[in-house]
Amino acid sequence: MEENSKNKIIKFLDNLDDKFEKKGKLFKNLWQLFKFGFVSFIITVIQLGLLYLMYYLMKGWTEPLPGFLAVIFSPETVGEDHANWGYMLPFFLSNFIANTVGYFLNKSRTFKSDAPIWHYLVYIVVLIILIMFSTWLQGVLMNVFIVWGVEVIGPFIAMNLAGFVQFLVLYPLQKFVLLRERKVEQVESVNDDQESK
């Protein structure tokens, strides 16, 4: 029964994809942007849950960061309480895990791509750089929120602002570079080959 309802949802989504594709390239692109935004919402929910859990579990881990991380996440930049593993790791891991889930959702549902695995490896490198920047940005914002006395809601606001920056980078990267759609001709020729056997 559960498998049947899952198949109905997938079929419904596939029919929506077909309807928007038939309306033309503009509607298809807007539909993909909407789906990417919906996946981003899912990513945000996952990231928020992980962030709050890890942030409050690791808050007491005040061991200083090593080498280049200490320069990026200096106490002057991110605040005295955030220049440590207890700050950096929750933001980084929650972001990394959530965006990895998002990559595969976008690959299979948003862009229907058959991109090779090395595209994922490129994505990981870009994602790590982007997360480092986002984590730094969130630290700067958290420092401001602590000064303002809104530490409880600070991670939520900081994460969403950094997430918007990621959205602006990752959508074009995935749509136009890493997760380009399967070519219809390729899919049709594979189907023709299979039928002739």
mmCIF file of all heavy atoms in Angstrom, residues 50-98:
data_model
loop_
_atom_site.group_PDB
_atom_site.id
_atom_site.type_symbol
_atom_site.label_atom_id
_atom_site.label_comp_id
_atom_site.label_asym_id
_atom_site.label_seq_id
_atom_site.Cartn_x
_atom_site.Cartn_y
_atom_site.Cartn_z
ATOM 1 N N LEU A 50 19.492 19.403 12.272
ATOM 2 C CA LEU A 50 20.854 18.988 12.599
ATOM 3 C C LEU A 50 21.643 20.098 13.280
ATOM 4 O O LEU A 50 22.393 19.855 14.232
ATOM 5 C CB LEU A 50 21.591 18.547 11.325
ATOM 6 C CG LEU A 50 21.120 17.260 10.672
ATOM 7 C CD1 LEU A 50 21.800 17.060 9.320
ATOM 8 C CD2 LEU A 50 21.379 16.074 11.592
ATOM 9 N N LEU A 51 21.465 21.333 12.789
ATOM 10 C CA LEU A 51 22.213 22.460 13.348
ATOM 11 C C LEU A 51 21.891 22.668 14.822
ATOM 12 O O LEU A 51 22.796 22.731 15.656
ATOM 13 C CB LEU A 51 21.906 23.743 12.566
ATOM 14 C CG LEU A 51 22.474 25.031 13.174
ATOM 15 C CD1 LEU A 51 23.996 25.001 13.159
ATOM 16 C CD2 LEU A 51 21.949 26.236 12.435
ATOM 17 N N TYR A 52 20.622 22.764 15.145
ATOM 18 C CA TYR A 52 20.253 23.002 16.541
ATOM 19 C C TYR A 52 20.702 21.843 17.433
ATOM 20 O O TYR A 52 21.214 22.064 18.529
ATOM 21 C CB TYR A 52 18.748 23.248 16.692
ATOM 22 C CG TYR A 52 18.382 24.696 16.456
ATOM 23 C CD1 TYR A 52 17.846 25.117 15.251
ATOM 24 C CD2 TYR A 52 18.588 25.648 17.447
ATOM 25 C CE1 TYR A 52 17.521 26.442 15.033
ATOM 26 C CE2 TYR A 52 18.267 26.979 17.240
ATOM 27 C CZ TYR A 52 17.737 27.369 16.033
ATOM 28 O OH TYR A 52 17.421 28.680 15.825
ATOM 29 N N LEU A 53 20.518 20.625 16.948
ATOM 30 C CA LEU A 53 20.939 19.470 17.726
ATOM 31 C C LEU A 53 22.451 19.497 17.968
ATOM 32 O O LEU A 53 22.917 19.435 19.114
ATOM 33 C CB LEU A 53 20.541 18.176 17.004
ATOM 34 C CG LEU A 53 21.016 16.881 17.668
ATOM 35 C CD1 LEU A 53 20.279 16.665 18.979
ATOM 36 C CD2 LEU A 53 20.800 15.707 16.721
ATOM 37 N N MET A 54 23.218 19.624 16.890
ATOM 38 C CA MET A 54 24.682 19.603 17.022
ATOM 39 C C MET A 54 25.216 20.841 17.738
ATOM 40 O O MET A 54 26.160 20.755 18.522
ATOM 41 C CB MET A 54 25.338 19.459 15.651
ATOM 42 C CG MET A 54 25.189 18.087 15.065
ATOM 43 S SD MET A 54 26.205 17.848 13.585
ATOM 44 C CE MET A 54 25.092 18.378 12.315
ATOM 45 N N TYR A 55 24.615 22.005 17.449
ATOM 46 C CA TYR A 55 25.100 23.252 18.053
ATOM 47 C C TYR A 55 24.982 23.197 19.577
ATOM 48 O O TYR A 55 25.918 23.543 20.296
ATOM 49 C CB TYR A 55 24.324 24.445 17.491
ATOM 50 C CG TYR A 55 24.774 25.783 18.029
ATOM 51 C CD1 TYR A 55 26.007 26.307 17.664
ATOM 52 C CD2 TYR A 55 23.967 26.514 18.884
ATOM 53 C CE1 TYR A 55 26.425 27.539 18.148
ATOM 54 C CE2 TYR A 55 24.385 27.742 19.374
ATOM 55 C CZ TYR A 55 25.603 28.249 19.000
ATOM 56 O OH TYR A 55 26.016 29.471 19.473
ATOM 57 N N TYR A 56 23.854 22.740 20.059
ATOM 58 C CA TYR A 56 23.673 22.703 21.511
ATOM 59 C C TYR A 56 24.379 21.507 22.162
ATOM 60 O O TYR A 56 24.770 21.585 23.314
ATOM 61 C CB TYR A 56 22.189 22.789 21.875
ATOM 62 C CG TYR A 56 21.695 24.200 21.633
ATOM 63 C CD1 TYR A 56 20.911 24.508 20.536
ATOM 64 C CD2 TYR A 56 22.093 25.241 22.466
ATOM 65 C CE1 TYR A 56 20.511 25.812 20.283
ATOM 66 C CE2 TYR A 56 21.699 26.544 22.221
ATOM 67 C CZ TYR A 56 20.906 26.824 21.137
ATOM 68 O OH TYR A 56 20.530 28.118 20.888
ATOM 69 N N LEU A 57 24.590 20.427 21.424
ATOM 70 C CA LEU A 57 25.364 19.308 21.950
ATOM 71 C C LEU A 57 26.865 19.621 22.003
ATOM 72 O O LEU A 57 27.570 19.172 22.904
ATOM 73 C CB LEU A 57 25.147 18.045 21.109
ATOM 74 C CG LEU A 57 23.798 17.360 21.240
ATOM 75 C CD1 LEU A 57 23.697 16.193 20.265
ATOM 76 C CD2 LEU A 57 23.556 16.874 22.671
ATOM 77 N N MET A 58 27.347 20.401 21.038
ATOM 78 C CA MET A 58 28.783 20.681 20.935
ATOM 79 C C MET A 58 29.172 22.062 21.451
ATOM 80 O O MET A 58 30.330 22.458 21.346
ATOM 81 C CB MET A 58 29.242 20.548 19.480
ATOM 82 C CG MET A 58 29.100 19.181 18.904
ATOM 83 S SD MET A 58 29.738 19.182 17.199
ATOM 84 C CE MET A 58 29.191 17.589 16.640
ATOM 85 N N LYS A 59 28.218 22.794 21.990
ATOM 86 C CA LYS A 59 28.473 24.166 22.417
ATOM 87 C C LYS A 59 29.626 24.254 23.424
ATOM 88 O O LYS A 59 30.381 25.212 23.431
ATOM 89 C CB LYS A 59 27.198 24.754 23.017
ATOM 90 C CG LYS A 59 27.197 26.239 23.110
ATOM 91 C CD LYS A 59 25.828 26.734 23.549
ATOM 92 C CE LYS A 59 25.825 28.243 23.599
ATOM 93 N NZ LYS A 59 24.558 28.761 24.012
ATOM 94 N N GLY A 60 29.774 23.237 24.234
ATOM 95 C CA GLY A 60 30.841 23.240 25.237
ATOM 96 C C GLY A 60 32.209 22.841 24.700
ATOM 97 O O GLY A 60 33.209 22.899 25.410
ATOM 98 N N TRP A 61 32.276 22.430 23.449
ATOM 99 C CA TRP A 61 33.548 22.012 22.856
ATOM 100 C C TRP A 61 34.307 23.265 22.410
ATOM 101 O O TRP A 61 34.171 23.740 21.307
ATOM 102 C CB TRP A 61 33.295 21.089 21.683
ATOM 103 C CG TRP A 61 34.528 20.431 21.114
ATOM 104 C CD1 TRP A 61 35.780 20.407 21.643
ATOM 105 C CD2 TRP A 61 34.609 19.704 19.896
ATOM 106 N NE1 TRP A 61 36.643 19.711 20.839
ATOM 107 C CE2 TRP A 61 35.936 19.255 19.752
ATOM 108 C CE3 TRP A 61 33.691 19.370 18.905
ATOM 109 C CZ2 TRP A 61 36.373 18.510 18.661
ATOM 110 C CZ3 TRP A 61 34.125 18.624 17.832
ATOM 111 C CH2 TRP A 61 35.448 18.201 17.714
ATOM 112 N N THR A 62 35.106 23.791 23.303
ATOM 113 C CA THR A 62 35.758 25.085 23.079
ATOM 114 C C THR A 62 37.207 24.968 22.632
ATOM 115 O O THR A 62 37.949 25.952 22.665
ATOM 116 C CB THR A 62 35.681 25.936 24.363
ATOM 117 O OG1 THR A 62 36.313 25.220 25.428
ATOM 118 C CG2 THR A 62 34.240 26.265 24.712
ATOM 119 N N GLU A 63 37.616 23.781 22.201
ATOM 120 C CA GLU A 63 38.980 23.611 21.702
ATOM 121 C C GLU A 63 39.198 24.505 20.482
ATOM 122 O O GLU A 63 38.389 24.522 19.560
ATOM 123 C CB GLU A 63 39.213 22.152 21.329
ATOM 124 C CG GLU A 63 40.648 21.863 20.934
ATOM 125 C CD GLU A 63 40.859 20.388 20.680
ATOM 126 O OE1 GLU A 63 40.188 19.556 21.330
ATOM 127 O OE2 GLU A 63 41.679 20.072 19.815
ATOM 128 N N PRO A 64 40.288 25.291 20.483
ATOM 129 C CA PRO A 64 40.526 26.212 19.364
ATOM 130 C C PRO A 64 40.727 25.485 18.037
ATOM 131 O O PRO A 64 41.165 24.341 17.996
ATOM 132 C CB PRO A 64 41.810 26.952 19.759
ATOM 133 C CG PRO A 64 42.129 26.552 21.147
ATOM 134 C CD PRO A 64 41.317 25.366 21.505
ATOM 135 N N LEU A 65 40.433 26.184 16.984
ATOM 136 C CA LEU A 65 40.598 25.636 15.641
ATOM 137 C C LEU A 65 42.072 25.673 15.238
ATOM 138 O O LEU A 65 42.808 26.563 15.644
ATOM 139 C CB LEU A 65 39.773 26.448 14.641
ATOM 140 C CG LEU A 65 38.268 26.425 14.872
ATOM 141 C CD1 LEU A 65 37.584 27.482 14.018
ATOM 142 C CD2 LEU A 65 37.712 25.049 14.570
ATOM 143 N N PRO A 66 42.497 24.742 14.393
ATOM 144 C CA PRO A 66 43.897 24.721 13.970
ATOM 145 C C PRO A 66 44.169 25.647 12.782
ATOM 146 O O PRO A 66 43.264 25.982 12.020
ATOM 147 C CB PRO A 66 44.097 23.261 13.549
ATOM 148 C CG PRO A 66 42.755 22.837 13.063
ATOM 149 C CD PRO A 66 41.769 23.580 13.934
ATOM 150 N N GLY A 67 45.414 26.026 12.606
ATOM 151 C CA GLY A 67 45.957 26.707 11.428
ATOM 152 C C GLY A 67 45.063 27.665 10.693
ATOM 153 O O GLY A 67 44.595 28.659 11.248
ATOM 154 N N PHE A 68 44.819 27.343 9.409
ATOM 155 C CA PHE A 68 44.073 28.269 8.552
ATOM 156 C C PHE A 68 42.637 28.486 9.031
ATOM 157 O O PHE A 68 42.058 29.552 8.808
ATOM 158 C CB PHE A 68 44.093 27.800 7.089
ATOM 159 C CG PHE A 68 43.140 26.688 6.770
ATOM 160 C CD1 PHE A 68 41.917 26.979 6.190
ATOM 161 C CD2 PHE A 68 43.463 25.358 7.051
ATOM 162 C CE1 PHE A 68 41.026 25.960 5.882
ATOM 163 C CE2 PHE A 68 42.578 24.341 6.741
ATOM 164 C CZ PHE A 68 41.358 24.629 6.155
ATOM 165 N N LEU A 69 42.054 27.490 9.696
ATOM 166 C CA LEU A 69 40.698 27.671 10.219
ATOM 167 C C LEU A 69 40.673 28.747 11.306
ATOM 168 O O LEU A 69 39.716 29.522 11.398
ATOM 169 C CB LEU A 69 40.149 26.356 10.766
ATOM 170 C CG LEU A 69 39.802 25.280 9.749
ATOM 171 C CD1 LEU A 69 39.362 24.006 10.444
ATOM 172 C CD2 LEU A 69 38.746 25.760 8.785
ATOM 173 N N ALA A 70 41.724 28.803 12.114
ATOM 174 C CA ALA A 70 41.801 29.821 13.165
ATOM 175 C C ALA A 70 41.889 31.217 12.573
ATOM 176 O O ALA A 70 41.407 32.182 13.175
ATOM 177 C CB ALA A 70 42.997 29.542 14.076
ATOM 178 N N VAL A 71 42.493 31.334 11.389
ATOM 179 C CA VAL A 71 42.579 32.643 10.728
ATOM 180 C C VAL A 71 41.207 33.045 10.191
ATOM 181 O O VAL A 71 40.758 34.185 10.367
ATOM 182 C CB VAL A 71 43.630 32.607 9.587
ATOM 183 C CG1 VAL A 71 43.613 33.902 8.798
ATOM 184 C CG2 VAL A 71 45.010 32.321 10.155
ATOM 185 N N ILE A 72 40.535 32.098 9.533
ATOM 186 C CA ILE A 72 39.216 32.395 8.947
ATOM 187 C C ILE A 72 38.192 32.678 10.040
ATOM 188 O O ILE A 72 37.416 33.625 9.953
ATOM 189 C CB ILE A 72 38.735 31.216 8.068
ATOM 190 C CG1 ILE A 72 39.683 31.010 6.886
ATOM 191 C CG2 ILE A 72 37.315 31.450 7.572
ATOM 192 C CD1 ILE A 72 39.430 29.736 6.108
ATOM 193 N N PHE A 73 38.192 31.830 11.068
ATOM 194 C CA PHE A 73 37.206 31.938 12.139
ATOM 195 C C PHE A 73 37.852 32.546 13.382
ATOM 196 O O PHE A 73 37.795 31.983 14.470
ATOM 197 C CB PHE A 73 36.608 30.560 12.449
ATOM 198 C CG PHE A 73 35.935 29.935 11.274
ATOM 199 C CD1 PHE A 73 36.571 28.960 10.522
ATOM 200 C CD2 PHE A 73 34.670 30.344 10.886
ATOM 201 C CE1 PHE A 73 35.954 28.389 9.422
ATOM 202 C CE2 PHE A 73 34.043 29.777 9.791
ATOM 203 C CZ PHE A 73 34.694 28.804 9.054
ATOM 204 N N SER A 74 38.447 33.705 13.208
ATOM 205 C CA SER A 74 39.116 34.365 14.332
ATOM 206 C C SER A 74 38.083 34.935 15.301
ATOM 207 O O SER A 74 36.962 35.261 14.907
ATOM 208 C CB SER A 74 40.017 35.494 13.826
ATOM 209 O OG SER A 74 39.228 36.542 13.304
ATOM 210 N N PRO A 75 38.451 35.078 16.586
ATOM 211 C CA PRO A 75 37.515 35.647 17.561
ATOM 212 C C PRO A 75 37.038 37.050 17.179
ATOM 213 O O PRO A 75 35.902 37.417 17.464
ATOM 214 C CB PRO A 75 38.323 35.687 18.860
ATOM 215 C CG PRO A 75 39.381 34.646 18.680
ATOM 216 C CD PRO A 75 39.685 34.617 17.217
ATOM 217 N N GLU A 76 37.878 37.798 16.505
ATOM 218 C CA GLU A 76 37.484 39.153 16.083
ATOM 219 C C GLU A 76 36.386 39.115 15.027
ATOM 220 O O GLU A 76 35.543 40.000 14.951
ATOM 221 C CB GLU A 76 38.690 39.928 15.524
ATOM 222 C CG GLU A 76 39.791 40.187 16.519
ATOM 223 C CD GLU A 76 40.712 38.977 16.725
ATOM 224 O OE1 GLU A 76 40.898 38.168 15.777
ATOM 225 O OE2 GLU A 76 41.206 38.824 17.849
ATOM 226 N N THR A 77 36.412 38.080 14.208
ATOM 227 C CA THR A 77 35.446 37.979 13.116
ATOM 228 C C THR A 77 34.146 37.325 13.544
ATOM 229 O O THR A 77 33.069 37.861 13.304
ATOM 230 C CB THR A 77 36.046 37.164 11.945
ATOM 231 O OG1 THR A 77 37.292 37.739 11.573
ATOM 232 C CG2 THR A 77 35.124 37.157 10.759
ATOM 233 N N VAL A 78 34.250 36.156 14.165
ATOM 234 C CA VAL A 78 33.050 35.386 14.482
ATOM 235 C C VAL A 78 32.636 35.492 15.942
ATOM 236 O O VAL A 78 31.614 34.936 16.332
ATOM 237 C CB VAL A 78 33.214 33.898 14.090
ATOM 238 C CG1 VAL A 78 33.409 33.760 12.601
ATOM 239 C CG2 VAL A 78 34.337 33.238 14.856
ATOM 240 N N GLY A 79 33.414 36.190 16.735
ATOM 241 C CA GLY A 79 33.087 36.332 18.156
ATOM 242 C C GLY A 79 33.889 35.370 19.006
ATOM 243 O O GLY A 79 34.260 34.277 18.564
ATOM 244 N N GLU A 80 34.165 35.770 20.214
ATOM 245 C CA GLU A 80 35.000 34.989 21.135
ATOM 246 C C GLU A 80 34.441 33.579 21.366
ATOM 247 O O GLU A 80 35.192 32.615 21.425
ATOM 248 C CB GLU A 80 35.115 35.736 22.466
ATOM 249 C CG GLU A 80 36.184 35.202 23.371
ATOM 250 C CD GLU A 80 37.596 35.390 22.814
ATOM 251 O OE1 GLU A 80 37.901 36.478 22.295
ATOM 252 O OE2 GLU A 80 38.383 34.424 22.899
ATOM 253 N N ASP A 81 33.131 33.458 21.471
ATOM 254 C CA ASP A 81 32.522 32.162 21.771
ATOM 255 C C ASP A 81 32.422 31.227 20.561
ATOM 256 O O ASP A 81 32.024 30.079 20.708
ATOM 257 C CB ASP A 81 31.110 32.356 22.339
ATOM 258 C CG ASP A 81 31.130 32.998 23.712
ATOM 259 O OD1 ASP A 81 32.201 33.001 24.353
ATOM 260 O OD2 ASP A 81 30.071 33.485 24.134
ATOM 261 N N HIS A 82 32.752 31.717 19.365
ATOM 262 C CA HIS A 82 32.550 30.912 18.167
ATOM 263 C C HIS A 82 33.830 30.555 17.429
ATOM 264 O O HIS A 82 33.765 29.938 16.360
ATOM 265 C CB HIS A 82 31.584 31.628 17.217
ATOM 266 C CG HIS A 82 30.230 31.761 17.796
ATOM 267 N ND1 HIS A 82 29.714 32.962 18.202
ATOM 268 C CD2 HIS A 82 29.289 30.838 18.082
ATOM 269 C CE1 HIS A 82 28.511 32.774 18.702
ATOM 270 N NE2 HIS A 82 28.231 31.497 18.646
ATOM 271 N N ALA A 83 34.973 30.888 17.946
ATOM 272 C CA ALA A 83 36.249 30.573 17.293
ATOM 273 C C ALA A 83 36.750 29.219 17.784
ATOM 274 O O ALA A 83 37.869 29.093 18.272
ATOM 275 C CB ALA A 83 37.264 31.683 17.563
ATOM 276 N N ASN A 84 35.897 28.180 17.665
ATOM 277 C CA ASN A 84 36.253 26.862 18.178
ATOM 278 C C ASN A 84 35.482 25.774 17.426
ATOM 279 O O ASN A 84 34.619 26.063 16.600
ATOM 280 C CB ASN A 84 35.971 26.795 19.682
ATOM 281 C CG ASN A 84 34.531 27.125 19.999
ATOM 282 O OD1 ASN A 84 33.604 26.502 19.496
ATOM 283 N ND2 ASN A 84 34.324 28.130 20.845
ATOM 284 N N TRP A 85 35.828 24.515 17.729
ATOM 285 C CA TRP A 85 35.182 23.386 17.069
ATOM 286 C C TRP A 85 33.689 23.297 17.390
ATOM 287 O O TRP A 85 32.892 22.870 16.555
ATOM 288 C CB TRP A 85 35.857 22.070 17.467
ATOM 289 C CG TRP A 85 37.152 21.872 16.774
ATOM 290 C CD1 TRP A 85 38.392 21.929 17.333
ATOM 291 C CD2 TRP A 85 37.353 21.602 15.390
ATOM 292 N NE1 TRP A 85 39.355 21.710 16.378
ATOM 293 C CE2 TRP A 85 38.734 21.494 15.167
ATOM 294 C CE3 TRP A 85 36.497 21.436 14.310
ATOM 295 C CZ2 TRP A 85 39.280 21.231 13.922
ATOM 296 C CZ3 TRP A 85 37.036 21.168 13.061
ATOM 297 C CH2 TRP A 85 38.411 21.066 12.881
ATOM 298 N N GLY A 86 33.299 23.681 18.583
ATOM 299 C CA GLY A 86 31.902 23.595 18.989
ATOM 300 C C GLY A 86 30.986 24.490 18.174
ATOM 301 O O GLY A 86 29.780 24.265 18.095
ATOM 302 N N TYR A 87 31.561 25.519 17.551
ATOM 303 C CA TYR A 87 30.781 26.378 16.657
ATOM 304 C C TYR A 87 30.898 25.885 15.210
ATOM 305 O O TYR A 87 29.921 25.676 14.514
ATOM 306 C CB TYR A 87 31.247 27.841 16.723
ATOM 307 C CG TYR A 87 30.746 28.621 15.543
ATOM 308 C CD1 TYR A 87 29.428 29.026 15.479
ATOM 309 C CD2 TYR A 87 31.557 28.842 14.434
ATOM 310 C CE1 TYR A 87 28.931 29.664 14.352
ATOM 311 C CE2 TYR A 87 31.080 29.481 13.307
ATOM 312 C CZ TYR A 87 29.768 29.896 13.275
ATOM 313 O OH TYR A 87 29.282 30.515 12.157
ATOM 314 N N MET A 88 32.130 25.738 14.751
ATOM 315 C CA MET A 88 32.390 25.485 13.338
ATOM 316 C C MET A 88 31.818 24.147 12.865
ATOM 317 O O MET A 88 31.176 24.074 11.820
ATOM 318 C CB MET A 88 33.901 25.534 13.079
ATOM 319 C CG MET A 88 34.299 25.850 11.648
ATOM 320 S SD MET A 88 34.204 24.527 10.443
ATOM 321 C CE MET A 88 35.466 23.409 10.953
ATOM 322 N N LEU A 89 32.025 23.098 13.618
ATOM 323 C CA LEU A 89 31.612 21.769 13.177
ATOM 324 C C LEU A 89 30.092 21.614 13.013
ATOM 325 O O LEU A 89 29.655 21.071 11.991
ATOM 326 C CB LEU A 89 32.167 20.711 14.133
ATOM 327 C CG LEU A 89 32.464 19.360 13.523
ATOM 328 C CD1 LEU A 89 33.340 19.449 12.295
ATOM 329 C CD2 LEU A 89 33.095 18.447 14.560
ATOM 330 N N PRO A 90 29.263 22.084 13.938
ATOM 331 C CA PRO A 90 27.808 21.959 13.714
ATOM 332 C C PRO A 90 27.315 22.671 12.456
ATOM 333 O O PRO A 90 26.500 22.131 11.709
ATOM 334 C CB PRO A 90 27.185 22.586 14.971
ATOM 335 C CG PRO A 90 28.230 22.445 16.006
ATOM 336 C CD PRO A 90 29.540 22.578 15.286
ATOM 337 N N PHE A 91 27.817 23.885 12.216
ATOM 338 C CA PHE A 91 27.394 24.608 11.022
ATOM 339 C C PHE A 91 27.878 23.894 9.768
ATOM 340 O O PHE A 91 27.133 23.737 8.801
ATOM 341 C CB PHE A 91 27.900 26.058 11.043
ATOM 342 C CG PHE A 91 27.005 26.980 11.799
ATOM 343 C CD1 PHE A 91 27.299 27.345 13.105
ATOM 344 C CD2 PHE A 91 25.857 27.495 11.223
ATOM 345 C CE1 PHE A 91 26.470 28.194 13.811
ATOM 346 C CE2 PHE A 91 25.021 28.353 11.916
ATOM 347 C CZ PHE A 91 25.332 28.699 13.212
ATOM 348 N N PHE A 92 29.121 23.447 9.785
ATOM 349 C CA PHE A 92 29.682 22.782 8.616
ATOM 350 C C PHE A 92 28.979 21.452 8.329
ATOM 351 O O PHE A 92 28.544 21.193 7.213
ATOM 352 C CB PHE A 92 31.189 22.555 8.792
ATOM 353 C CG PHE A 92 31.833 21.960 7.578
ATOM 354 C CD1 PHE A 92 32.278 22.762 6.543
ATOM 355 C CD2 PHE A 92 31.975 20.586 7.451
ATOM 356 C CE1 PHE A 92 32.854 22.220 5.403
ATOM 357 C CE2 PHE A 92 32.545 20.024 6.323
ATOM 358 C CZ PHE A 92 32.997 20.846 5.290
ATOM 359 N N LEU A 93 28.883 20.590 9.328
ATOM 360 C CA LEU A 93 28.297 19.258 9.123
ATOM 361 C C LEU A 93 26.817 19.319 8.747
ATOM 362 O O LEU A 93 26.368 18.582 7.855
ATOM 363 C CB LEU A 93 28.482 18.393 10.373
ATOM 364 C CG LEU A 93 29.893 17.898 10.632
ATOM 365 C CD1 LEU A 93 29.958 17.137 11.959
ATOM 366 C CD2 LEU A 93 30.396 17.029 9.494
ATOM 367 N N SER A 94 26.053 20.174 9.419
ATOM 368 C CA SER A 94 24.623 20.264 9.093
ATOM 369 C C SER A 94 24.440 20.736 7.653
ATOM 370 O O SER A 94 23.582 20.226 6.924
ATOM 371 C CB SER A 94 23.893 21.181 10.076
ATOM 372 O OG SER A 94 24.351 22.509 9.971
ATOM 373 N N ASN A 95 25.255 21.682 7.244
ATOM 374 C CA ASN A 95 25.199 22.207 5.885
ATOM 375 C C ASN A 95 25.615 21.139 4.872
ATOM 376 O O ASN A 95 24.953 20.929 3.853
ATOM 377 C CB ASN A 95 26.129 23.421 5.798
ATOM 378 C CG ASN A 95 25.759 24.365 4.697
ATOM 379 O OD1 ASN A 95 25.285 23.954 3.662
ATOM 380 N ND2 ASN A 95 26.011 25.637 4.911
ATOM 381 N N PHE A 96 26.705 20.444 5.151
ATOM 382 C CA PHE A 96 27.232 19.430 4.242
ATOM 383 C C PHE A 96 26.238 18.277 4.063
ATOM 384 O O PHE A 96 25.948 17.868 2.937
ATOM 385 C CB PHE A 96 28.572 18.902 4.768
ATOM 386 C CG PHE A 96 29.256 17.966 3.823
ATOM 387 C CD1 PHE A 96 30.039 18.460 2.803
ATOM 388 C CD2 PHE A 96 29.108 16.596 3.945
ATOM 389 C CE1 PHE A 96 30.670 17.603 1.907
ATOM 390 C CE2 PHE A 96 29.730 15.721 3.071
ATOM 391 C CZ PHE A 96 30.525 16.233 2.048
ATOM 392 N N ILE A 97 25.719 17.765 5.152
ATOM 393 C CA ILE A 97 24.773 16.637 5.086
ATOM 394 C C ILE A 97 23.505 17.043 4.331
ATOM 395 O O ILE A 97 23.050 16.340 3.428
ATOM 396 C CB ILE A 97 24.442 16.119 6.500
ATOM 397 C CG1 ILE A 97 25.684 15.474 7.126
ATOM 398 C CG2 ILE A 97 23.277 15.131 6.467
ATOM 399 C CD1 ILE A 97 25.572 15.225 8.625
ATOM 400 N N ALA A 98 22.940 18.184 4.685
ATOM 401 C CA ALA A 98 21.699 18.633 4.050
ATOM 402 C C ALA A 98 21.898 18.885 2.554
ATOM 403 O O ALA A 98 21.055 18.502 1.730
ATOM 404 C CB ALA A 98 21.183 19.889 4.737
#
